[in-house]
mmCIF file of all heavy atoms in Angstrom:
data_model
loop_
_atom_site.group_PDB
_atom_site.id
_atom_site.type_symbol
_atom_site.label_atom_id
_atom_site.label_comp_id
_atom_site.label_asym_id
_atom_site.label_seq_id
_atom_site.Cartn_x
_atom_site.Cartn_y
_atom_site.Cartn_z
ATOM 1 N N ARG A 275 -23.584 62.079 -25.137
ATOM 2 C CA ARG A 275 -22.858 63.319 -25.054
ATOM 3 C C ARG A 275 -22.701 63.813 -23.536
ATOM 4 O O ARG A 275 -21.881 64.651 -23.308
ATOM 5 C CB ARG A 275 -23.668 64.462 -25.750
ATOM 6 C CG ARG A 275 -23.830 64.174 -27.228
ATOM 7 C CD ARG A 275 -22.796 64.879 -28.106
ATOM 8 N NE ARG A 275 -23.189 64.687 -29.453
ATOM 9 C CZ ARG A 275 -22.800 63.734 -30.324
ATOM 10 N NH1 ARG A 275 -22.055 62.718 -29.853
ATOM 11 N NH2 ARG A 275 -23.204 63.707 -31.522
ATOM 12 N N GLY A 276 -23.430 63.179 -22.664
ATOM 13 C CA GLY A 276 -23.429 63.657 -21.316
ATOM 14 C C GLY A 276 -22.266 63.441 -20.438
ATOM 15 O O GLY A 276 -22.046 63.998 -19.386
ATOM 16 N N GLY A 277 -21.473 62.398 -20.802
ATOM 17 C CA GLY A 277 -20.288 61.984 -20.118
ATOM 18 C C GLY A 277 -20.641 61.042 -18.903
ATOM 19 O O GLY A 277 -21.737 60.650 -18.737
ATOM 20 N N ARG A 278 -19.568 60.854 -18.144
ATOM 21 C CA ARG A 278 -19.673 59.799 -17.055
ATOM 22 C C ARG A 278 -20.424 60.392 -15.837
ATOM 23 O O ARG A 278 -20.246 61.592 -15.495
ATOM 24 C CB ARG A 278 -18.253 59.345 -16.735
ATOM 25 C CG ARG A 278 -17.294 60.255 -16.164
ATOM 26 C CD ARG A 278 -15.914 59.630 -15.911
ATOM 27 N NE ARG A 278 -15.348 59.097 -17.174
ATOM 28 C CZ ARG A 278 -15.208 57.766 -17.451
ATOM 29 N NH1 ARG A 278 -15.603 56.892 -16.556
ATOM 30 N NH2 ARG A 278 -14.762 57.508 -18.565
ATOM 31 N N VAL A 279 -21.083 59.494 -15.184
ATOM 32 C CA VAL A 279 -21.551 59.783 -13.844
ATOM 33 C C VAL A 279 -20.741 59.244 -12.759
ATOM 34 O O VAL A 279 -20.446 59.902 -11.739
ATOM 35 C CB VAL A 279 -23.047 59.099 -13.749
ATOM 36 C CG1 VAL A 279 -23.651 59.242 -12.312
ATOM 37 C CG2 VAL A 279 -24.059 59.751 -14.853
ATOM 38 N N HIS A 280 -20.266 57.954 -13.009
ATOM 39 C CA HIS A 280 -19.309 57.434 -12.050
ATOM 40 C C HIS A 280 -17.839 57.651 -12.539
ATOM 41 O O HIS A 280 -17.537 57.072 -13.664
ATOM 42 C CB HIS A 280 -19.595 55.895 -11.940
ATOM 43 C CG HIS A 280 -20.993 55.511 -11.477
ATOM 44 N ND1 HIS A 280 -21.500 55.790 -10.273
ATOM 45 C CD2 HIS A 280 -21.996 55.055 -12.215
ATOM 46 C CE1 HIS A 280 -22.696 55.454 -10.167
ATOM 47 N NE2 HIS A 280 -23.056 54.914 -11.400
ATOM 48 N N GLN A 281 -17.065 58.351 -11.749
ATOM 49 C CA GLN A 281 -15.815 58.809 -12.257
ATOM 50 C C GLN A 281 -14.820 57.773 -12.592
ATOM 51 O O GLN A 281 -13.889 57.934 -13.438
ATOM 52 C CB GLN A 281 -15.185 59.753 -11.174
ATOM 53 C CG GLN A 281 -15.952 61.024 -10.975
ATOM 54 C CD GLN A 281 -16.106 61.770 -12.305
ATOM 55 O OE1 GLN A 281 -15.069 62.113 -13.027
ATOM 56 N NE2 GLN A 281 -17.293 62.103 -12.674
ATOM 57 N N THR A 282 -14.929 56.555 -12.080
ATOM 58 C CA THR A 282 -13.879 55.542 -12.371
ATOM 59 C C THR A 282 -14.566 54.415 -13.290
ATOM 60 O O THR A 282 -13.971 53.306 -13.431
ATOM 61 C CB THR A 282 -13.361 54.851 -11.151
ATOM 62 O OG1 THR A 282 -14.365 54.272 -10.383
ATOM 63 C CG2 THR A 282 -12.622 55.861 -10.345
ATOM 64 N N SER A 283 -15.667 54.744 -13.856
ATOM 65 C CA SER A 283 -16.268 53.689 -14.846
ATOM 66 C C SER A 283 -15.379 53.389 -15.946
ATOM 67 O O SER A 283 -14.748 54.263 -16.477
ATOM 68 C CB SER A 283 -17.602 54.319 -15.242
ATOM 69 O OG SER A 283 -18.003 53.592 -16.402
ATOM 70 N N PRO A 284 -15.290 52.103 -16.376
ATOM 71 C CA PRO A 284 -14.477 51.804 -17.468
ATOM 72 C C PRO A 284 -15.027 52.157 -18.782
ATOM 73 O O PRO A 284 -14.419 51.971 -19.858
ATOM 74 C CB PRO A 284 -14.336 50.212 -17.318
ATOM 75 C CG PRO A 284 -15.523 49.747 -16.547
ATOM 76 C CD PRO A 284 -15.841 50.962 -15.655
ATOM 77 N N MET A 285 -16.303 52.577 -18.810
ATOM 78 C CA MET A 285 -16.922 52.952 -20.083
ATOM 79 C C MET A 285 -16.244 54.191 -20.648
ATOM 80 O O MET A 285 -16.027 55.192 -19.981
ATOM 81 C CB MET A 285 -18.407 53.354 -19.795
ATOM 82 C CG MET A 285 -19.136 54.004 -20.984
ATOM 83 S SD MET A 285 -19.762 52.739 -22.125
ATOM 84 C CE MET A 285 -20.966 53.852 -23.003
ATOM 85 N N PRO A 286 -15.670 54.145 -21.936
ATOM 86 C CA PRO A 286 -14.924 55.243 -22.508
ATOM 87 C C PRO A 286 -15.899 56.398 -23.065
ATOM 88 O O PRO A 286 -16.123 56.622 -24.215
ATOM 89 C CB PRO A 286 -14.245 54.541 -23.690
ATOM 90 C CG PRO A 286 -14.951 53.396 -23.995
ATOM 91 C CD PRO A 286 -15.746 52.984 -22.825
ATOM 92 N N TRP A 287 -16.490 57.055 -22.089
ATOM 93 C CA TRP A 287 -17.424 58.079 -22.405
ATOM 94 C C TRP A 287 -16.857 59.168 -23.294
ATOM 95 O O TRP A 287 -17.538 59.637 -24.187
ATOM 96 C CB TRP A 287 -18.086 58.710 -21.086
ATOM 97 C CG TRP A 287 -18.977 57.914 -20.348
ATOM 98 C CD1 TRP A 287 -18.770 57.192 -19.198
ATOM 99 C CD2 TRP A 287 -20.365 57.553 -20.783
ATOM 100 N NE1 TRP A 287 -19.897 56.338 -18.848
ATOM 101 C CE2 TRP A 287 -20.837 56.663 -19.777
ATOM 102 C CE3 TRP A 287 -21.198 57.964 -21.756
ATOM 103 C CZ2 TRP A 287 -22.137 56.258 -19.818
ATOM 104 C CZ3 TRP A 287 -22.457 57.594 -21.908
ATOM 105 C CH2 TRP A 287 -22.952 56.638 -20.836
ATOM 106 N N GLY A 288 -15.630 59.645 -23.010
ATOM 107 C CA GLY A 288 -14.989 60.687 -23.831
ATOM 108 C C GLY A 288 -14.899 60.377 -25.191
ATOM 109 O O GLY A 288 -15.410 61.084 -26.134
ATOM 110 N N PRO A 289 -14.234 59.128 -25.599
ATOM 111 C CA PRO A 289 -14.192 58.777 -26.989
ATOM 112 C C PRO A 289 -15.620 58.643 -27.617
ATOM 113 O O PRO A 289 -15.725 59.026 -28.808
ATOM 114 C CB PRO A 289 -13.418 57.485 -26.898
ATOM 115 C CG PRO A 289 -12.587 57.564 -25.676
ATOM 116 C CD PRO A 289 -13.370 58.383 -24.735
ATOM 117 N N TYR A 290 -16.518 58.004 -26.959
ATOM 118 C CA TYR A 290 -17.843 57.869 -27.541
ATOM 119 C C TYR A 290 -18.576 59.149 -27.807
ATOM 120 O O TYR A 290 -19.406 59.196 -28.735
ATOM 121 C CB TYR A 290 -18.712 56.917 -26.731
ATOM 122 C CG TYR A 290 -18.144 55.384 -26.705
ATOM 123 C CD1 TYR A 290 -18.708 54.583 -25.767
ATOM 124 C CD2 TYR A 290 -17.352 55.005 -27.605
ATOM 125 C CE1 TYR A 290 -18.278 53.270 -25.740
ATOM 126 C CE2 TYR A 290 -16.875 53.648 -27.669
ATOM 127 C CZ TYR A 290 -17.395 52.801 -26.655
ATOM 128 O OH TYR A 290 -16.834 51.486 -26.617
ATOM 129 N N SER A 291 -18.317 60.150 -26.936
ATOM 130 C CA SER A 291 -18.950 61.417 -27.206
ATOM 131 C C SER A 291 -18.605 62.150 -28.560
ATOM 132 O O SER A 291 -19.112 63.074 -28.989
ATOM 133 C CB SER A 291 -18.704 62.341 -26.018
ATOM 134 O OG SER A 291 -17.330 62.800 -26.080
ATOM 135 N N ARG A 292 -17.456 61.591 -29.170
ATOM 136 C CA ARG A 292 -16.993 62.195 -30.388
ATOM 137 C C ARG A 292 -17.687 61.586 -31.615
ATOM 138 O O ARG A 292 -17.435 62.053 -32.742
ATOM 139 C CB ARG A 292 -15.478 62.006 -30.478
ATOM 140 C CG ARG A 292 -14.624 62.486 -29.301
ATOM 141 C CD ARG A 292 -13.214 62.268 -29.435
ATOM 142 N NE ARG A 292 -12.533 62.601 -28.156
ATOM 143 C CZ ARG A 292 -11.273 62.924 -28.015
ATOM 144 N NH1 ARG A 292 -10.500 63.061 -29.070
ATOM 145 N NH2 ARG A 292 -10.729 62.994 -26.807
#
Side-chain angles (χ1 to χ4, degrees):
R275 298 265 188 267
R278 64 183 61 249
V279 174
H280 304 289
Q281 289 306 304
T282 60
S283 165
M285 173 83 164
W287 286 104
Y290 290 164
S291 71
R292 303 182 196 206

